[in-house]
Amino acid sequence: MSAFLGLEVRDVTKSFQGGTVVDNVSLKVPQGQLVCFLGPSGCGKTTLLRIIAGLESASSGRLFVDGRDVTNVPVEQRNFAMVFQSLALFPHLSVAENIAYSLRLRGMDRASRQARVNELLDLIKLPGIAHQSVEKLSGGQRQRVAIARAIAQEPLLFLLDEPLSALDAKLRDHMQVELRMLQQKLKITTILVTHDQREAMTIADRIVVMANGKIQQVGAPIDVYRNPANRFVASFVGQSNLLDADVLNDTHVRVLGEVLPMSKIPRGISRNARVTVSVRPEDTRIERVDAVDAAGSNGTLPGEVTFVRDLGDLVELRVACQGKELISVGAPGQWPDIRHAERVRVRLPADAATILAS
Ligand code: ATP
């Protein structure tokens, strides 16, 4: 059998005195892919990354790269490159000297080093700054230089821990797109740790959602978004309306006292089971009460608008239905004259809702 190409984490657990922070994690990162570890603060994603890097040893479990067991290979022999949130560029060196650091250690001659540095500066879209001091660079430029310095090593694995979180929102958004395009061009096997679901969805081929040291779900970003495995994933990856529901039969549930049709009730869920219905804000439909006749109101939740927010590129409504607040998001101009305190009906389209075990 040929070896799996890429990184394999097998049954890794890490316990500190305070408890278990990585709990029996197994996952594969195929060669050339970018995988994001996504989860809230304290879920264990940094500890898992540090174990992969070799900066921390696992309490149990093993790591393989291209089928080779690297569990006990010391950090300096793994040939993994790392970029962290708190950058560690050498402040007294120029941009070129920073990037060429690993090339010099490898004994590359001066002319080849220069050529490689210029190539990498082109790649990170910062040509012509080779001789600048790194202290004069902006936050975004520094981060790009750190990435170039890491790439210069030609690492087997590229590990990034919240690399963009110190940047302001606009620059972070820009850098996410750049980092993704760079990784697609170079096809370096990469793991990026983030708590920002938007960043994960921008950058990743696959997302590993973590909570309490455990993997909650692994999948392509849009699959995770569309088909969350549980309540935690539904609320952490994007926004979701989560509603308690009782299953009535194969096609209907009762939510907030109303009978609603649902087309995705999984087989095997018994009648009367308590479940959670998860509906994304953009999937909800808002109907004016005066525009809905008695028959047409079936399958909707009556409510009252409590908040309207027009952000220009989208409009958000909050609607109180039987004491439960639902969020609805629509295109600009979708509800031109909807007002606070207006009575509406919220339709949850039968095929858009995901049914989760409670
Ligand atoms: P953050 O985004 O805040 O860094 P995280 O998901 O990356 O969060 P970790 O940094 O992996 O989480 O930490 C997970 C838990 O492990 C935390 O409760 C942390 O306090 C604990 N922890 C991490 N390192 C150690 C250590 N060396 N000794 C004891 N506990 C630790």
Side-chain angles (χ1 to χ4, degrees):
M1 203 177 71
S2 58
F4 169 74
L5 291 181
L7 171 79
E8 182 182 354
V9 175
R10 201 182 288 170
D11 305 327
V12 164
T13 291
K14 177 72 183 180
S15 301
F16 293 110
Q17 275 189 340
T20 298
V21 298
V22 175
D23 194 354
N24 201 23
V25 164
S26 294
L27 63 99
K28 287 180 174 178
V29 182
Q31 194 176 61
Q33 281 205 1
L34 194 157
V35 168
C36 276
F37 294 171
L38 174 66
S41 183
C43 73
K45 53 197 189 302
T46 294
T47 302
L48 180 58
L49 194 79
R50 287 173 57 80
I51 291 169
I52 292 169
L55 297 169
E56 194 89 65
S57 58
S59 306
S60 61
R62 308 214 70 78
L63 298 172
F64 300 86
V65 174
D66 299 340
R68 190 168 58 94
D69 189 334
V70 298
T71 315
N72 298 317
V73 174
V75 58
E76 63 280 4
Q77 287 171 26
R78 289 192 185 189
N79 191 20
F80 298 169
M82 280 164 272
V83 173
F84 296 102
Q85 176 188 345
S86 52
L87 285 179
L89 288 175
F90 305 118
H92 53 288
L93 298 183
S94 69
V95 168
E97 286 164 336
N98 263 282
I99 296 176
Y101 189 77
S102 65
L103 307 178
R104 188 191 277 271
L105 287 184
R106 261 195 273 154
M108 187 184 276
D109 66 72
R110 193 185 161 85
S112 311
R113 280 204 312 265
Q114 264 175 7
R116 183 77 181 127
V117 165
N118 287 332
E119 202 178 288
L120 287 163
L121 285 174
D122 281 345
L123 203 61
I124 58 166
K125 300 192 179 139
L126 288 177
I129 65 154
H131 302 296
Q132 274 191 32
S133 150
V134 294
E135 287 182 313
K136 293 214 177 101
L137 303 179
S138 68
Q141 287 175 325
R142 278 173 194 229
Q143 204 50 281
R144 282 187 229 183
V145 171
I147 288 166
R149 189 179 64 169
I151 291 170
Q153 284 183 48
E154 294 180 24
L156 281 174
L157 198 59
F158 191 20
L159 305 173
L160 302 114
D161 189 358
E162 304 266 5
L164 308 178
S165 58
L167 307 178
D168 68 57
K170 243 193 173 138
L171 183 57
R172 194 164 68 223
D173 198 70
H174 177 75
M175 288 290 295
Q176 287 164 0
V177 175
E178 290 226 332
L179 189 57
R180 177 55 172 161
M181 294 201 302
L182 188 66
Q183 193 275 337
Q184 281 179 325
K185 198 166 180 176
L186 301 175
K187 298 195 169 53
I188 305 177
T189 314
T190 302
I191 301 174
L192 184 142
V193 163
T194 182
H195 62 271
D196 176 349
Q197 60 95 18
R198 205 178 139 86
E199 180 162 300
M201 291 194 72
T202 305
I203 286 186
D205 291 298
R206 291 168 82 72
I207 294 180
V208 176
V209 186
M210 292 181 67
N212 302 322
K214 290 197 176 73
I215 293 182
Q216 304 294 313
Q217 189 168 5
V218 180
I222 200 65
D223 289 342
V224 172
Y225 184 84
R226 284 274 138 233
N227 301 300
N230 55 39
R231 279 181 87 116
F232 174 79
V233 177
S235 58
F236 194 76
V237 182
Q239 271 189 318
S240 206
N241 293 299
L242 296 172
L243 297 154
D244 292 334
D246 296 306
V247 175
L248 299 177
N249 53 41
D250 292 347
T251 53
H252 287 78
V253 297
R254 189 189 307 278
V255 175
L256 299 173
E258 303 287 330
V259 176
L260 306 184
M262 292 282 143
S263 54
K264 293 202 285 191
I265 298 176
R267 282 162 186 269
I269 288 196
S270 56
R271 209 171 270 201
N272 299 325
R274 210 80 239 272
V275 294
T276 299
V277 170
S278 165
V279 185
R280 296 294 183 188
E282 66 274 20
D283 290 331
T284 57
R285 299 281 167 269
I286 300 294
E287 295 170 0
R288 315 296 281 257
V289 166
D290 54 14
V292 182
D293 61 26
S297 68
N298 281 342
T300 62
L301 302 171
E304 187 180 305
V305 175
T306 55
F307 184 71
V308 183
R309 169 156 72 162
D310 192 339
L311 294 172
D313 59 342
L314 57 87
V315 187
E316 181 187 299
L317 296 185
R318 289 174 187 243
V319 182
C321 301
Q322 310 275 341
K324 171 86 185 166
E325 186 172 76
L326 301 189
I327 302 177
S328 186
V329 167
Q334 186 158 337
W335 306 297
D337 46 3
I338 211 140
R339 297 272 177 274
H340 180 251
E342 190 161 339
R343 288 183 53 227
V344 293
R345 290 181 179 276
V346 183
R347 188 176 293 279
L348 311 179
D351 57 353
T354 304
I355 310 284
L356 306 168
S358 278

